[in-house]
Amino acid sequence: YGAWTNMKKEIRLNGKIDGKAVAEVDVRGMNLTLLSAMSCEPSFSREFDDPYACGWNDRGQVKAYLTEMIGAGYYMRWEAADMCIKAGLTKESIRDLRDNFVHPKFPCLKLLKKGVTDALLLAYHESEIMLLVVEKLNVPVYILHDCLICRAEDSDLVGNTLQDVFSSYCQEKDW
């Protein structure tokens, strides 16, 4: 934990490490990506696809709904909590989003079970992966949840290491 944790991204990216410009390397939709790996049913066909793409016209609403669903640890979530309400979702639109877009696209969400396979378990695996990445590297890297802050000149190395570690971690877990 450090000062960069609560900074806005645009301010954080103006920072320097050893006097050099910084970059962020992250896993888009880490919780969804982990659930997809755990289920052995990939929800996206290519490495760099948008993990939230499901045919719904508002990516922000999909992300808000999935974040609340994963946070609640409940696959059939239909209630709108703060994130969904702020994203403009209603009970009716949540039902449509869930039944016609999210459930068909993301079979991995069936793994969700509060207290078993939920946001806490996913945060554990996320932390393990990020720590393994940092341990493999011989360059300064700061962990920020599913994001690694590094010198811009090291971003390819950090990104490739993150991909390798993520894949190896999943293979070791038999996912």
Side-chain angles (χ1 to χ4, degrees):
Y1 184 86
W4 61 88
T5 306
N6 293 321
M7 284 182 190
K8 291 183 178 181
K9 182 176 182 172
E10 47 282 353
I11 294 171
R12 193 168 47 242
L13 288 175
N14 284 323
K16 305 271 187 224
I17 297 176
D18 295 333
K20 298 183 179 178
V22 298
E24 293 184 351
V25 176
D26 73 351
V27 177
R28 291 176 73 187
M30 175 64 103
N31 285 337
L32 191 56
T33 303
L34 279 169
L35 275 173
S36 183
M38 292 168 80
S39 73
C40 299
E41 294 185 61
S43 297
F44 15 96
S45 58
R46 297 183 352 209
E47 284 181 45
F48 299 106
D49 283 351
D50 180 357
Y52 299 108
C54 64
W56 188 259
N57 64 353
D58 187 327
R59 181 187 189 277
Q61 289 180 339
V62 175
K63 183 176 180 178
Y65 177 69
L66 288 172
T67 300
E68 285 188 359
M69 179 188 281
I70 291 167
Y74 186 54
Y75 174 66
M76 289 301 293
R77 185 169 184 83
W78 60 269
E79 295 176 4
D82 289 346
M83 290 180 73
C84 285
I85 292 167
K86 286 179 185 170
L89 288 165
T90 63
K91 188 173 181 176
E92 294 76 28
S93 61
I94 285 176
R95 186 178 301 116
D96 184 28
L97 173 61
R98 181 194 66 207
D99 295 345
N100 298 312
F101 296 89
V102 168
H103 283 182
K105 175 68 177 175
F106 306 110
C108 62
L109 295 170
K110 293 176 193 166
L111 288 178
L112 289 174
K113 185 173 181 186
K114 190 164 187 70
V116 179
T117 307
D118 59 13
L120 293 176
L121 178 70
L122 296 171
Y124 167 79
H125 289 300
E126 173 186 299
S127 296
E128 289 292 301
I129 290 166
M130 293 305 190
L131 287 170
L132 288 168
V133 171
V134 171
E135 288 171 359
K136 284 190 172 284
L137 294 167
N138 193 25
V139 297
V141 178
Y142 300 97
I143 300 171
L144 181 62
H145 305 291
D146 64 350
C147 175
L148 299 167
I149 302 168
C150 62
R151 295 180 299 207
E153 66 189 35
D154 298 326
S155 62
D156 286 342
L157 171 66
V158 172
N160 289 332
T161 304
L162 177 55
Q163 287 179 341
D164 292 344
V165 167
F166 190 96
S167 294
S168 297
Y169 187 86
C170 292
Q171 288 170 354
E172 288 172 18
K173 299 287 183 191
D174 289 325
W175 296 342

